[in-house]
Amino acid sequence: MKKYFLHREPRTFVVDYEKELNPEQHAAVMHGTGPALVLAGAGTGKTRVVTYRVARLIEAGTPAENILLLTFTNKAAREMLRRVELLIGMNIAGLFGGTFHHVANLLLRQHALLIGYRQGFSILDREDAKELFDACIADVYKKETILPKGGVLAEITSLSRNTAVTVEDVVLRRFPHFAHVVEEIIKITALYHAKKVQLNLLDFDDLLHGWKRLFDEQPKIREYYSIKFRYVLVDEYQDTNRLQAEIIDLTTGTAGNLMVVGDDAQSIYSFRGADFENILKFPEKHAGTAMYRLTTNYRSTPQVLHLANSSIAHNRRQFHKDLHAVSGAGELPNVVALKDVFEQAEFVSSVVIDLNADGRSFDELAVLYRSHFQSMELQMEFQRKGIPFEVRSGLTFFEQAHIKDVLSFLKIIANPQDEISWKRVLKLIPGIGNITAGKIWNFIQGRETPVEAVFDAYTIVPKKAVSAFNRFLEMLSILKQERYLGMPSAAIDHVMHHGYEEYLYATYPNAEMRIEDVTQMMKFAQRYDLLETFLSEMTLQGLSEAVEGADAPEGRVILSTVHQAKGLEWGVVFMIGLNDGKFPSAKSLKNDDEEEERRLFYVGVTRTRESLYLCYPVAVDDWQTMGIARPSRFIRELPEDCFEEMAVEDV
């Protein structure tokens, strides 16, 4: 087979690669044949390298249809290919570019029959998959047995298939609260797969497994595509799971012209199934790998990069690289100790207002955190001070379903005539839907004491819901006691530990995050000694000022988890809640995941161009616990020349 050495092609090129790329980027783009690993540090022009690499291959004589570009979003692929066409002035419509699932679909549409699929199959999206799982549950459901709902089962099954771990192992490791029904989960999963075959349906995981099966079981097909895809490029390789890595290797073929681009220091998605070992062991798996390090950072100041380099250096398992800045000197990052989460919120909002008064647009500012619940006090403070903001980590705190659920339990006690809250609470009971909830409301509405009247409504309840309805009544009998009217935090605790926590685990794959949110609200409720006052405050705070500021000429401050912020940048970044047990999270420390948490910290730090504030509250007030919180180890381990400590009175 002919080998293509890009630097030897006697051609006239449209693009002056040496002029338009820095030496590190140029070396990667000019790579010849064989495997290559491009370690692209934060802000070093990763997308530029992939784009120019594709352009160079085509200009050197490789037909577009002989290139496969795999990305994690179709939007990223479209943007890269658009840039290539602008660079070289050619139409490259024949190039295979897109997500793993997109390419898998194209292949299986042509070859489905070879691996037992039927032509004309339909693809289940994630919502469809949840509904099919829910349909399967009824066939295995046992009375008195609480089984996970479709969304949780879909998550368990997907993790199992993408990481080559059994369903039982996934349940025991990641969803241990369902260990007692693991046999039922296995039966439901088997039924789900059988129904897909019967109905000619493929879910997203089937697409990837189908691609792998096609190349495993049909060597001639595999050989054809290994010749067709002469060059394979993979973006964000650190985010691939085990199955995706196997597919890449099968597709590359004997020529081995595989270039993967990524950053081991930004591998932060193991909870989704991403396998850090893929990028770490790439040179070991692919003999003769050429390694290229992109370390010239075009985003941040030298001071920010010094802190980032000093932090990530504590990770033992990594490809070492030090980022260096193109920009001139800036200010040292600030480490700020605050009394508690409320003072932390006041501090951030005050600095934001000052920065805006000095001419800094709100949309140049971001507040990042480890977990969504850490933004609650900040959202409330921003609303009080009229600071426009946008929550990128999900809905605003008070718009979230689980927060509204818990508040609805409290509202029917404080205001028993609240029809909306009654119906919301009733529909949380397994076996009760819109119609039955409406009937129960019609039975109790207008009564002098609806909370008492509901105890006589069991005759309306379907037999399948009687047991769960009785548990609801037991919970309500305690909650309606006079003492809870003066203890909103205790009322929330009672709701959580008498059925709602169980409901969260059964309903949501991210139940633990939702429990953290409710716990944070419980802590906030300790400040109130009257349920009615607390509910009024929560409802008023739920009227998001962010909506009013949506068209603000100066934009909105972004509030986001670090996971959601990856790939983005701002002029000023605040990182809040930097305490051991919060960031790094307690769960990660228990599971020996400190290095991934440090990579997450590194990602957060490198989002800023100019200014960085690292904030931590000194006092911790976890539910029923008070004490002194340790600053994050990621702060404590930094050399003193990386930052300066800022006193609150300095602001």
Side-chain angles (χ1 to χ4, degrees):
M1 182 179 291
K2 182 178 179 181
K3 291 192 175 182
Y4 287 78
F5 293 94
L6 302 185
H7 57 290
R8 295 179 184 173
E9 292 294 325
R11 291 176 174 272
T12 302
F13 295 101
V14 174
V15 182
D16 188 340
Y17 295 92
E18 193 165 5
K19 180 180 178 181
E20 296 190 23
L21 302 168
N22 70 36
E24 295 171 336
Q25 295 169 340
H26 184 260
V29 167
M30 297 298 291
H31 172 75
T33 54
L37 170 59
V38 181
L39 296 167
T44 60
K46 170 183 66 66
T47 301
R48 189 175 184 84
V49 166
V50 176
T51 301
Y52 276 74
R53 171 67 175 174
V54 173
R56 180 69 185 192
L57 285 169
I58 293 173
E59 284 208 281
T62 301
E65 58 268 23
N66 292 147
I67 299 172
L68 172 63
L69 171 62
L70 291 169
T71 62
F72 274 83
T73 67
N74 284 314
K75 180 181 177 182
R78 287 194 300 269
E79 178 60 21
M80 288 180 186
L81 299 183
R82 185 188 68 82
R83 292 190 194 181
V84 171
E85 290 184 336
L86 289 174
L87 276 174
I88 63 178
M90 291 173 53
N91 184 297
I92 56 171
L95 190 147
F96 266 59
T99 64
F100 285 84
H101 298 97
H102 172 73
V103 174
N105 179 52
L106 294 177
L107 294 173
L108 294 181
R109 290 295 175 189
Q110 297 182 57
H111 308 292
L113 294 174
L114 294 175
I115 52 172
Y117 294 150
R118 285 175 277 164
Q119 293 288 5
F121 59 80
S122 298
I123 299 174
L124 292 169
D125 63 20
R126 300 197 187 282
E127 196 61 35
D128 294 332
K130 286 166 56 178
E131 290 182 11
L132 185 57
F133 265 115
D134 283 331
C136 295
I137 289 172
D139 294 340
V140 181
Y141 178 76
K142 295 179 180 178
K143 197 173 181 180
E144 303 296 330
T145 300
I146 295 180
L147 295 170
K149 293 189 177 179
V152 180
L153 290 171
E155 180 79 3
I156 290 171
T157 305
S158 185
L159 280 171
S160 168
R161 302 189 74 194
N162 283 287
T163 58
V165 175
T166 66
V167 167
E168 181 177 6
D169 283 344
V170 170
V171 171
L172 295 178
R173 294 178 188 178
R174 302 282 289 270
F175 301 84
H177 35 278
F178 290 123
H180 64 292
V181 290
V182 69
E183 289 185 10
E184 286 85 350
I185 290 173
I186 292 171
K187 289 178 183 177
I188 295 169
T189 301
L191 182 59
Y192 167 77
H193 292 312
K195 281 186 178 291
K196 284 187 297 178
V197 173
Q198 177 188 345
L199 301 171
N200 200 25
L201 301 172
L202 272 67
D203 62 23
F204 289 156
D205 296 324
D206 291 324
L207 292 173
L208 298 188
H209 276 269
W211 183 352
K212 184 175 185 296
R213 281 184 56 204
L214 179 66
F215 282 15
D216 272 336
E217 298 173 10
Q218 303 292 328
K220 289 185 178 180
I221 297 293
R222 176 187 172 187
E223 182 182 4
Y224 168 80
Y225 282 105
S226 71
I227 295 172
K228 175 178 174 60
F229 298 139
R230 186 181 300 156
Y231 289 94
V232 179
L233 291 89
V234 185
D235 189 28
E236 300 286 10
Y237 188 71
Q238 78 281 347
D239 295 336
T240 54
N241 59 41
R242 179 172 174 175
L243 176 58
Q244 289 165 331
E246 291 173 348
I247 288 170
I248 291 166
D249 292 344
L250 283 169
T251 306
T252 301
T254 56
N257 294 327
L258 169 63
M259 175 178 281
V260 300
V261 184
D263 184 8
D264 59 299
Q266 297 186 75
S267 178
I268 58 174
Y269 294 118
S270 64
F271 68 95
R272 293 182 186 169
D275 191 344
F276 179 65
E277 300 293 330
N278 288 347
I279 191 167
L280 198 66
K281 294 185 176 179
F282 185 88
E284 181 182 321
K285 284 179 60 181
H286 300 83
T289 294
M291 292 184 62
Y292 302 93
R293 286 176 167 83
L294 307 184
T295 60
T296 304
N297 178 283
Y298 293 91
R299 178 186 300 152
S300 306
T301 64
Q303 287 74 18
V304 169
L305 294 185
H306 177 45
L307 187 148
N309 290 331
S310 299
S311 174
I312 202 66
H314 286 83
N315 275 11
R316 289 179 295 175
R317 304 188 72 229
Q318 63 167 312
F319 294 113
H320 181 77
K321 57 184 176 301
D322 280 329
L323 301 184
H324 55 275
V326 170
S327 67
E331 58 191 44
L332 279 172
N334 298 287
V335 170
V336 192
L338 291 313
K339 183 176 69 175
D340 53 28
V341 291
F342 302 104
E343 186 173 76
Q344 178 177 250
E346 291 172 7
F347 167 76
V348 173
S349 61
S350 296
V351 176
V352 164
I353 290 171
D354 289 345
L355 288 169
N356 182 249
D358 289 341
R360 178 78 73 167
S361 173
F362 284 125
D363 59 14
E364 272 289 286
L365 314 176
V367 185
L368 308 181
Y369 33 84
R370 174 63 179 82
S371 302
H372 186 44
F373 76 86
Q374 293 175 299
S375 70
M376 188 189 83
E377 294 82 7
L378 191 66
Q379 289 186 43
M380 297 177 72
E381 189 66 20
F382 275 19
Q383 289 171 12
R384 275 194 287 265
K385 293 186 175 177
I387 299 172
F389 67 91
E390 176 184 339
V391 180
R392 291 275 179 86
S393 51
L395 298 170
T396 62
F397 190 85
F398 304 98
E399 293 172 326
Q400 298 177 106
H402 49 291
I403 296 299
K404 295 175 77 170
D405 287 346
V406 173
L407 291 178
S408 291
F409 280 102
L410 274 54
K411 285 178 179 179
I412 64 175
I413 299 300
N415 174 20
Q417 303 298 333
D418 186 339
E419 176 182 354
I420 294 174
S421 294
W422 267 111
K423 288 183 176 178
R424 186 181 188 97
V425 165
L426 290 168
K427 286 188 290 185
L428 294 174
I429 300 171
I432 293 182
N434 285 319
I435 294 175
T436 303
K439 288 180 179 178
I440 295 174
W441 168 250
N442 290 335
F443 180 81
I444 66 175
Q445 71 168 322
R447 303 287 187 96
E448 186 176 344
T449 54
V451 175
E452 298 291 344
V454 77
F455 284 78
D456 296 324
Y458 62 88
T459 55
I460 303 171
V461 177
K463 288 184 179 180
K464 63 180 180 180
V466 168
S467 177
F469 184 71
N470 285 335
R471 288 199 298 271
F472 164 69
L473 294 179
E474 289 172 9
M475 181 267 286
L476 204 60
S477 65
I478 302 297
L479 197 61
K480 68 186 180 69
Q481 293 177 9
E482 186 73 22
R483 66 190 183 96
Y484 283 108
L485 296 177
M487 297 176 63
S489 59
I492 295 171
D493 183 56
H494 181 75
V495 170
M496 284 297 291
H497 291 97
H498 289 79
Y500 191 69
E501 185 176 53
E502 196 174 61
Y503 166 83
L504 288 176
Y505 275 122
T507 307
Y508 300 109
N510 62 344
E512 291 180 352
M513 293 173 60
R514 293 172 187 262
I515 291 168
E516 285 180 336
D517 287 343
V518 177
T519 302
Q520 191 71 6
M521 183 171 66
M522 189 189 307
K523 289 158 55 178
F524 182 79
Q526 292 173 350
R527 307 173 81 191
Y528 296 85
D529 56 11
L530 193 62
L531 181 59
E532 187 176 281
T533 306
F534 168 72
L535 289 172
S536 297
E537 179 78 3
M538 291 297 97
T539 304
L540 291 173
Q541 292 298 339
L543 295 173
S544 176
E545 298 292 339
V547 175
E548 294 179 19
D551 298 320
E554 295 175 288
R556 292 167 286 173
V557 181
I558 297 301
L559 310 185
S560 175
T561 61
V562 180
H563 283 104
Q564 291 283 342
K566 185 175 177 291
L568 303 176
E569 61 181 69
W570 295 272
V572 180
V573 167
F574 300 83
M575 293 182 68
I576 63 173
L578 290 169
N579 299 96
D580 267 1
K582 304 296 184 186
F583 199 158
S585 69
K587 183 178 180 181
S588 69
L589 295 177
K590 181 181 178 181
N591 295 337
D592 198 26
D593 290 333
E594 180 180 315
E595 292 210 347
E596 178 160 336
E597 290 287 295
R598 189 176 285 105
R599 295 194 293 270
L600 189 62
F601 177 74
Y602 173 87
V603 167
V605 166
T606 54
R607 295 312 92 198
T608 185
R609 292 193 295 272
E610 301 165 36
S611 301
L612 178 66
Y613 294 85
L614 304 176
C615 307
Y616 67 94
V618 173
V620 63
D621 58 345
D622 286 330
W623 176 236
Q624 296 181 332
T625 304
M626 297 292 289
I628 302 301
R630 286 166 61 86
S632 170
R633 63 194 62 196
F634 303 150
I635 293 177
R636 300 198 313 269
E637 68 193 12
L638 291 171
E640 291 183 1
D641 66 342
C642 285
F643 61 88
E644 62 181 4
E645 296 188 62
M646 174 183 284
V648 177
E649 50 267 27
D650 293 342
V651 180

